[in-house]
């Protein structure tokens, strides 16, 4: 029966898989040099003028916008400011050259053949991209999980004769000897991490980006999430670059702009252990050429397969239709700086969230992500000591795979023996022995000293957070029905309006953990109801949502999936309420929460290792700022303990599972989500 289930669902999944082509298969049959020196004949944007990188820099420096900004910098002479602007541009700008593209193609081809078994690309999306590039300026928007992301898109476009993009990168990469210059000449332009209030830098950067978009001289690639996700789940988008690339359309300088979401999915991420250590407070290794060569040992490892899914091109003109009034830009000259209206800002924010959500929907979920979901729901002592029974884990994974398909998730399930091979692939996290699966906890073999209890917690936490990162790759499929399942569990209500109110509360609290498109709370709730009904967990009527006996297993799984987030938030709320200080810095907050969580884990009062993650801790602060329970002044946070306590009381009821009747009264305004609630506890 188990084999029958494997093959029946395998056939369903393979229908989606047929559109993907392994581009490494042909590369393994040709020489690296022959590939790098192949004829490269891209078809660029038809409206793009023939221009060099020096022409681009000249256009930026001589633009009316930059001249205006330079004239405003009255603290220094105009010539001095102009020289400073020229220096910023030299530090920032790319110097794309075909010879260096070929060098990168030669090197990257060698590396990818060592790292990955296959790199799958959906050809339909690639064909649509090839057509879109010829018709309007194109913005390539991949998700960002690994340094490999920086190379893969250009590698694919070179392979299929599509114009090479210019890519926004962090300035630390430019400081890498030799490598930095190779990246610059392969299309990278470099942006400082901390720009702050440097008006001249902002002006040069924004004019540089707008000029690239306006002229369409090359596709522009940037990560709307802003930085690599240390947790492998989507990050709330940053709006600075998004605003810059959309402004030429808002100002009527181009007829349209095409946005292309790209979903990059990994079986195994190269930096998995480094990301976990960063979340626990270990400083990130500085980007350097020496560090790159030291990291060459990763070439000895197997990282499975990669899937690159080019999404359907999105027209900015169509996305913004009916959402904005572009006539406001006609009131002053286009070359003068203009603060965007609230309407424009909301539109940019909406488009950015839509892109990230589309990236999620286009990503492929691996069997390992499903197994990680299940492993993390086991007690930590079971994971670290006796282990989970292999047979039970595989049966439950097959059950979960069916649930993913019911929830319209995209699966990568290549063969019937995939679960054994995926556990072997992730040997650095778990090992399978004697019919059981255990968490790997490798200490330092050179150290002869026994670990302290606190060090033991951190060692376990590093392994758990690696497991968490792969679970996170599947979370987007379960979040909405999971929030509804939690609302059903807590309110004990079947009334749709009460469930919707609690759903909105949790959706707002966790808006920094998961991606929710602004203004779509009602659609998210309807989607959650529909998915739970589809899998047989609930029955829907016009006014009620009724739990079915057959749906208890699904609802229990979904509640447990969100439980670590609830536990983590409640603990941090508790810390903020009980800590004597009303004002603190982030550097004080993060280690203090980590120390408290470590003590509670050692005492057995806390079982959630995810609260040790700096990402979770920062997300709680961001959520409380949005709920106006915490305010930020420069580098300090000021906490309103009463407001934190009120929000924490609701989550406390969730965690303690005390039957409660909660009445939530919401007032929704255009700009703020204001929550008024009365909590009545009934034991």
């Amino acid at each position: 029966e188990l084999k029958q289930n494997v093959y029946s669902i395998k056939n369903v999944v393979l229908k989606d898989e047929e559109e993907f082509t392994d581009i490494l298969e042909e590369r393994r049959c040709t020489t690296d040099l022959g590939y790098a020196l192949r004829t490269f004949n891209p078809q660029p944007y038809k409206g793009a003028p023939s221009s060099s990188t020096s022409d681009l820099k000249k256009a930026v420096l001589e633009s009316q916008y930059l001249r205006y900004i330079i004239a405003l910098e009255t603290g220094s002479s105009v010539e001095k400011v102009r020289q400073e602007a020229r220096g910023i541009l030299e530090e920032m700008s790319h110097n794309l050259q075909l010879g260096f593209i070929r060098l990168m193609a030669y090197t990257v081809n060698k590396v990818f053949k060592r790292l990955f078994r296959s790199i799958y690309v959906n050809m339909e999306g690639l064909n649509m991209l090839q057509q879109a590039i010829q018709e309007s300026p194109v913005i390539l928007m991949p998700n960002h999980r690994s340094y490999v992301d920086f190379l893969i898109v250009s590698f694919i476009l070179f392979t299929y004769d599509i114009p090479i993009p210019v890519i926004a990168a962090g300035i630390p990469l430019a400081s890498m000897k030799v490598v930095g210059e190779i990246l610059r000449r392969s299309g990278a332009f470099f942006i400082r991490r901390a720009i702050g209030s440097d008006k001249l830098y902002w002006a040069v950067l924004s004019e540089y980006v707008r000029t690239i978009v306006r002229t369409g001289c090359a596709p522009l690639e940037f990560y709307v999430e802003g930085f690599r996700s240390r947790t492998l789940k989507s990050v709330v988008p940053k709006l600075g670059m998004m605003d810059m690339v959309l402004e030429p359309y808002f100002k009527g300088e181009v007829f349209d702009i095409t946005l292309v979401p790209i979903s990059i999915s990994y079986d195994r991420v190269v930096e998995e252990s480094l990301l976990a250590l960063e979340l626990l407070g270990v400083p990130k290794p500085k980007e350097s050429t020496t560090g790159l060569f030291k990291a060459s040992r990763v070439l000895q490892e197997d990282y499975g397969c990669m899937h690159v899914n080019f999404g359907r091109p999105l027209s900015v003109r169509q996305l913004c239709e009916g959402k904005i009034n572009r006539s406001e830009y006609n009131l002053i000259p286009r070359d003068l700086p203009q603060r965007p209206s609230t309407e424009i800002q909301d539109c940019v924010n909406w488009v950015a969230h839509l892109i990230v959500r589309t990236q999620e929907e286009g990503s492929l979920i691996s069997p390992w992500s499903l197994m990680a979901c299940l492993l993390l729901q086991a007690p930590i002592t079971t994971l670290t000591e006796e282990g989970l029974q292999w047979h039970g884990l595989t049966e439950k994974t097959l059950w979960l795979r069916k649930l993913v398909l019911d929830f319209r998730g995209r699966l990568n399930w290549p063969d019937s023996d995939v679960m054994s091979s995926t556990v072997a692939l992730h040997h650095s996290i778990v090992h399978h022995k004697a019919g059981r699966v255990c968490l790997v906890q490798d200490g330092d073999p050179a150290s002869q000293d026994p670990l302290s209890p606190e060090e033991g917690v951190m060692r376990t936490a590093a392994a758990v957070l690696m497991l968490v990162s792969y679970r996170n790759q599947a979370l987007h499929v379960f979040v909405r029905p999971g929030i509804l399942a939690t609302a059903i569990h807590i309110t004990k209500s079947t009334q749709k309006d009460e469930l919707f109110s609690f759903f909105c509360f949790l959706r707002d609290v966790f808006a920094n953990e998961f991606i929710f498109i602004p203004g779509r709370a009602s659609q998210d709730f309807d989607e959650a109801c529909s998915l739970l009904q589809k899998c047989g967990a609930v029955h829907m009527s016009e006014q009620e949502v009724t739990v079915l006996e057959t749906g208890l297993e699904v609802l229990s799984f979904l509640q447990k999936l969100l439980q670590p987030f609830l536990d983590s938030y409640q603990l941090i709320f508790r810390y903020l309420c009980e800590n004597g200080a009303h004002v603190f810095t982030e550097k004080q907050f993060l280690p203090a929460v980590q120390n408290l969580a470590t003590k509670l884990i050692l005492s057995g009062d806390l079982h959630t290792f995810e609260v040790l993650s700096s990402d979770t801790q920062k997300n709680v602060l961001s959520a409380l700022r949005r709920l106006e329970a915490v305010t930020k002044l420069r580098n300090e946070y000021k906490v309103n303990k009463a407001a934190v306590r009120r929000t924490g009381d609701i989550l406390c009821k969730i965690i303690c599972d005390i039957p409660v009747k909660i009445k939530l009264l919401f007032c929704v305004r255009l700009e703020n989500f204001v929550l008024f609630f009365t909590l009545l506890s009934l034991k």
Side-chain angles (χ1 to χ4, degrees):
E1 183 183 356
L2 188 65
K3 286 185 178 179
Q4 186 178 358
N5 286 340
V6 168
Y7 289 113
S8 62
I9 297 181
K10 175 186 172 186
N11 292 335
V12 173
V13 179
L14 284 180
K15 289 181 181 178
D16 285 337
E17 288 294 302
E18 288 173 359
E19 64 190 69
F20 285 88
T21 298
D22 178 14
I23 64 171
L24 284 188
E25 185 176 355
E26 185 179 346
R27 302 283 74 75
R28 297 187 194 280
C29 300
T30 59
T31 65
D32 300 320
L33 188 60
Y35 167 70
L37 296 178
R38 59 184 289 277
T39 301
F40 181 59
N41 186 29
Q43 299 298 314
Y45 170 44
K46 294 175 183 177
S50 178
S51 60
S52 63
T53 54
S54 58
D55 293 332
L56 173 62
K57 290 188 282 188
K58 183 179 179 182
V60 172
L61 288 171
E62 294 182 355
S63 67
Q64 290 295 328
Y65 173 78
L66 202 57
R67 287 182 180 181
Y68 180 81
I69 296 296
I70 289 173
L72 289 179
E73 295 290 321
T74 55
S76 304
S77 68
V78 171
E79 186 55 36
K80 185 175 180 181
V81 176
R82 186 177 288 113
Q83 287 296 330
E84 186 180 348
R86 186 175 287 108
I88 292 171
L89 192 58
E90 288 297 326
E91 172 193 80
M92 176 190 304
S93 61
H94 74 83
N95 187 16
L96 184 61
Q97 298 176 17
L98 181 58
F100 281 86
I101 291 294
R102 295 190 184 281
L103 173 62
M104 285 293 286
Y106 175 81
T107 307
V108 169
N109 194 47
K110 272 188 175 299
V111 171
F112 282 174
K113 287 192 294 186
R114 292 288 297 273
L115 289 178
F116 300 106
R117 300 172 188 173
S118 301
I119 296 178
Y120 292 102
V121 179
N122 70 318
M123 299 310 298
E124 181 184 1
L126 202 60
N127 291 334
M128 288 190 290
L129 169 62
Q130 197 162 26
Q131 182 64 33
I133 280 180
Q134 298 176 48
E135 297 173 354
S136 64
V138 165
I139 312 300
L140 303 172
M141 306 179 71
N143 55 355
H144 198 13
R145 304 293 177 264
S146 168
Y147 282 124
V148 175
D149 303 336
F150 189 80
L151 304 170
I152 185 61
V153 174
S154 295
F155 176 70
I156 294 170
L157 300 194
F158 177 78
T159 302
Y160 289 97
D161 284 344
I162 299 175
I164 302 298
V166 294
I167 311 170
I171 196 68
L173 292 176
S175 62
M176 297 174 66
K177 293 180 180 179
V178 182
V179 173
E181 188 58 29
I182 292 175
L183 293 175
R184 187 187 298 276
R185 298 189 184 207
S186 300
F189 66 94
F190 301 99
I191 303 173
R192 294 176 189 172
R193 292 264 172 89
I195 302 174
S197 59
D198 189 335
K199 294 180 181 179
L200 184 61
Y201 191 92
W202 275 114
V204 174
L205 173 60
S206 58
E207 184 61 21
Y208 183 73
V209 170
R210 287 196 298 262
T211 303
I212 292 172
V213 176
R214 189 166 53 239
T215 60
C217 56
L220 174 67
E221 179 184 339
F222 79 98
Y223 305 107
V224 69
E225 296 166 294
F227 50 81
R228 261 185 324 153
S229 170
R230 270 68 174 169
T231 60
L232 300 192
K233 65 181 171 69
S234 297
V235 177
V236 174
K238 305 297 182 290
L239 304 182
M241 280 286 290
M242 194 79 208
D243 185 61
M244 293 177 202
V245 301
L246 295 183
E247 191 171 345
Y249 170 74
F250 294 152
K251 288 187 172 183
E253 296 173 309
V254 294
F255 179 77
D256 198 3
I257 297 171
T258 300
L259 308 179
V260 181
I262 303 173
S263 307
I264 305 175
S265 310
Y266 295 91
D267 282 355
R268 183 183 174 196
V269 177
V270 175
E271 306 96 324
E272 60 183 10
S273 60
L274 288 177
L275 295 179
L277 293 174
E278 283 182 43
L279 292 173
L280 293 172
V282 178
K284 185 182 79 168
K286 184 180 178 181
E287 290 96 341
S288 67
T289 305
T290 304
L292 180 64
F293 285 116
K294 286 181 178 178
S296 60
R297 64 179 179 275
V298 302
L299 296 175
Q300 310 305 318
E301 287 282 345
D302 178 8
Y303 292 92
C305 300
M306 181 199 308
H307 285 76
V308 184
N309 189 2
F310 288 85
R312 185 174 297 276
L314 302 174
S315 162
V316 171
R317 191 177 190 86
Q318 292 179 7
L319 290 176
C320 296
E321 187 175 358
K323 291 186 176 295
I324 59 169
N325 179 11
R326 293 195 291 163
S327 62
E328 67 179 74
Y329 285 101
N330 296 331
L331 301 178
I332 63 173
R334 291 174 178 171
D335 293 323
L336 297 185
Q338 182 177 356
R339 190 176 189 85
S341 64
T342 301
E343 181 185 68
I344 293 289
Q345 293 176 33
D346 289 344
C347 181
V348 171
N349 186 42
W350 179 82
V351 171
H353 279 80
L354 175 67
I355 293 295
V356 179
R357 183 74 184 115
T358 306
Q359 291 170 348
E360 288 185 334
E361 291 173 344
S363 63
L364 270 73
I365 299 171
S366 68
W368 176 242
S369 293
L370 303 187
M371 298 179 87
C373 290
L374 298 168
L375 288 166
L376 287 166
Q377 294 189 8
I380 191 63
T381 52
T382 302
L383 274 181
T384 56
E385 295 173 11
E386 65 264 31
L388 263 69
Q389 286 190 343
W390 173 252
H391 180 71
L393 178 61
T394 53
E395 280 197 336
K396 193 75 172 179
T397 303
L398 289 173
W399 170 84
L400 187 54
R401 180 176 61 173
K402 183 179 183 304
L403 185 63
V404 170
L405 292 174
D406 286 342
F407 284 0
R408 301 193 295 271
R410 297 175 65 91
L411 275 170
N412 167 33
W413 201 280
D415 56 58
S416 58
D417 194 36
V418 67
M419 284 182 278
S420 295
S421 61
T422 198
V423 168
L425 180 67
H426 293 277
H427 59 86
S428 60
I429 304 177
V430 296
H431 60 82
H432 175 203
K433 187 177 181 181
R436 291 187 175 272
V437 179
C438 294
L439 198 66
V440 172
Q441 298 180 86
D442 289 331
D444 182 2
S447 175
Q448 301 297 321
D449 300 326
L451 291 175
S452 67
E454 290 77 13
E455 289 171 334
V457 168
M458 287 299 156
R459 189 180 71 172
T460 302
V464 169
L465 290 183
M466 281 197 285
L467 198 58
V468 165
S469 66
Y470 289 102
R471 176 211 64 190
N472 288 345
Q473 291 181 316
L475 273 183
H476 64 276
V477 174
F478 301 117
V479 163
R480 286 155 185 79
I483 290 177
L484 178 56
T486 302
I488 292 170
H489 178 66
I490 301 310
T491 62
K492 311 298 181 187
S493 173
T494 61
Q495 297 301 307
K496 264 190 176 181
D497 55 350
E498 292 184 31
L499 292 174
F500 176 66
S501 296
F502 203 89
F503 180 93
C504 289
F505 168 70
L506 290 177
R507 182 182 185 273
D508 201 44
V509 168
F510 292 129
N512 288 86
E513 296 289 350
F514 314 116
I515 300 300
F516 301 109
I517 298 174
R520 289 181 55 90
S522 179
Q523 291 92 324
D524 284 344
F525 180 75
D526 290 342
E527 179 187 339
C529 292
S530 174
L531 293 177
L532 288 183
Q533 183 177 32
K534 183 179 179 181
C535 70
V538 300
H539 172 71
M540 301 283 301
S541 67
E542 190 172 339
Q543 301 294 332
E544 292 189 331
V545 179
T546 308
V547 175
L548 301 177
E549 189 74 24
T550 55
L552 295 179
E553 186 178 14
V554 171
L555 295 176
S556 174
F557 165 77
L558 293 172
Q559 292 157 18
K560 290 178 181 177
L561 197 65
L562 293 187
Q563 195 65 43
F565 297 96
L566 298 167
D567 290 344
S568 299
Y569 274 56
Q570 177 59 22
L571 175 69
I572 296 172
F573 289 167
R574 169 185 163 185
Y575 166 79
L576 291 173
C577 291
E578 295 180 359
N579 181 41
H582 284 75
V583 178
F584 54 87
T585 64
E586 189 176 280
K587 287 185 177 181
Q588 295 169 332
F589 171 74
L590 298 181
V593 170
Q594 194 174 86
N595 289 338
L596 173 62
T598 302
K599 290 177 182 177
L600 292 174
I601 289 171
L602 287 172
S603 67
D605 295 323
L606 178 68
H607 305 286
T608 300
F609 282 78
E610 291 176 51
V611 71
L612 295 168
S613 165
S614 60
D615 183 80
T616 300
Q617 296 159 13
K618 292 174 183 178
N619 285 344
V620 174
L621 283 183
S622 297
L624 290 175
R625 286 182 65 193
R626 203 170 2 86
L627 296 170
E628 300 180 354
V630 168
T631 54
K632 186 177 182 181
L633 302 171
R634 294 184 181 178
N635 294 323
E636 290 186 331
Y637 293 88
K638 184 177 181 181
V639 59
N640 180 336
K641 293 181 182 291
V644 173
R645 190 174 290 111
R646 282 196 298 270
T647 307
D649 282 344
I650 297 182
L651 295 184
C652 184
K653 299 301 179 185
I654 295 172
I655 292 165
C656 298
D657 195 21
I658 299 174
V660 296
K661 182 178 180 181
I662 300 172
K663 185 178 181 182
L664 294 163
L665 304 175
F666 290 95
C667 174
V668 182
R669 300 187 310 197
L670 279 177
E671 298 179 25
N672 297 314
F673 182 79
V674 183
L675 167 65
F676 300 97
F677 58 85
T678 304
L679 179 64
L680 301 175
S681 299
L682 300 175
K683 292 187 179 179

